[in-house]
Amino acid sequence: MPWSLLGWSPTGEQLSLLQQLQEELRLWNGRLNLTRLVEGEDYWIGQVFDSLWPVVPWLQGAADPPTPLEVIDVGTGGGFPGLAIAIALPGSRLTLVDSVGRKLEAVRAMATALGLAERVVLRCERAEKTGRARDCRGRFQLAVARAVAAAPVVAEYLVPLLASQGTALLYRGQWTPEDAAALERAAATLQVRVEPPRALDLPGGRGRRHAVALTPLAPCPPGYPRPVGVPGKHPLGELPG
Ligand code: SAM
């Protein structure tokens, strides 16, 4: 695994946890078909590297934070990027959200097997509900989502969860000028700044990735997220067709 390309490398204990996570994923994938990225480079690059490269700035400042970093992974599916972040950031508390209960039960079992249960909270619900829940709205320093929906939809899920100094990180594959323009329109409504996207070519010719960060300019307006299903059906900033 090309840790030097990542700009961070795991301790022996973290490496062993990442290996255990692969074993757990194998076990649960056999039952539930959570992901196709389980073996070899599919796992180490497609899951681990791809989950961690956008959060390297947090990993580098991670030594021993005075209070745990509150992180939320929305649409965690089989547990990525959330579980990889929980391992890489020992001073973090992770909230993992997905609306599909059987996936979350597998993630719960994996977190428990890895000894992470104390730092990992699971919420089986739609992200539109999480953004309105009293114990989640405005609470997180870092809110992430990989492969969940179009960027304006994900922005509407993540921004209401952010603390005033928090960051939403959108994990994207391709990032076109049209994607950027659509996200800018959504960002104006949600009162966030779109930071310049970061780009990286995954090792092994596995494609180009982008990480797009959003930072609050003001509290998220109270009407967002809209009710369940509305963000996906009518993405913010949609141009009249
Ligand atoms: N983040 C994982 C990854 O990168 O491997 C899973 C990606 S999977 C393609 C998308 C996941 O997002 C699914 O598990 C789906 O249930 C979840 N999801 C999509 N929309 C959601 C919503 N509004 N609320 C909660 N979960 C949602």
Side-chain angles (χ1 to χ4, degrees), residues 1 20 50-51 56 58 65 94 96 111 139 158 179 192 204-206 237 239:
M1 169 74 170
Q20 280 180 53
D50 192 48
S51 290
V56 162
W58 284 266
L94 267 289
L96 310 183
R139 203 188 100 201
L158 298 186
D179 293 326
V192 284
R206 289 178 164 257
L239 294 175

Side-chain angles (χ1 to χ4, degrees), residues 44-208:
W44 287 102
I45 295 175
Q47 298 282 29
V48 176
F49 193 105
D50 192 48
S51 290
L52 295 183
W53 80 265
V55 298
V56 162
W58 284 266
L59 303 184
Q60 287 168 339
D64 221 346
T67 52
L69 189 80
E70 292 285 349
V71 184
I72 187 163
D73 176 17
V74 170
T76 194
F80 292 89
L83 288 178
I85 294 174
I87 291 170
L89 269 175
S92 63
R93 271 215 307 253
L94 267 289
T95 300
L96 310 183
V97 180
D98 206 287
S99 54
V100 179
R102 67 194 159 78
K103 290 190 188 178
L104 270 194
E105 284 316 311
V107 175
R108 187 188 305 283
M110 292 193 263
T112 303
L114 294 173
L116 297 173
E118 274 187 13
R119 293 196 288 117
V120 175
V121 172
L122 295 120
R123 294 179 73 104
C124 184
E125 65 190 2
R126 293 278 305 209
E128 298 92 321
K129 298 264 186 203
T130 319
R132 291 190 170 271
R134 270 201 200 176
D135 56 342
C136 285
R137 191 176 180 92
R139 203 188 100 201
F140 295 90
Q141 275 110 36
L142 188 55
V144 301
R146 186 182 79 163
V148 172
V153 179
V154 174
E156 186 168 350
Y157 294 159
L158 298 186
V159 169
L161 298 163
L162 294 180
S164 58
Q165 306 289 315
T167 303
L169 262 187
L170 282 59
Y171 287 54
R172 311 301 304 177
Q174 294 296 323
W175 192 245
T176 65
E178 291 74 29
D179 293 326
L183 183 60
E184 282 292 351
R185 291 192 296 274
T189 302
L190 294 168
Q191 299 279 299
V192 284
R193 178 173 47 232
V194 182
E195 307 295 344
R198 288 185 288 138
L200 178 126
D201 292 317
L202 284 183
R206 289 178 164 257
R208 195 161 180 77

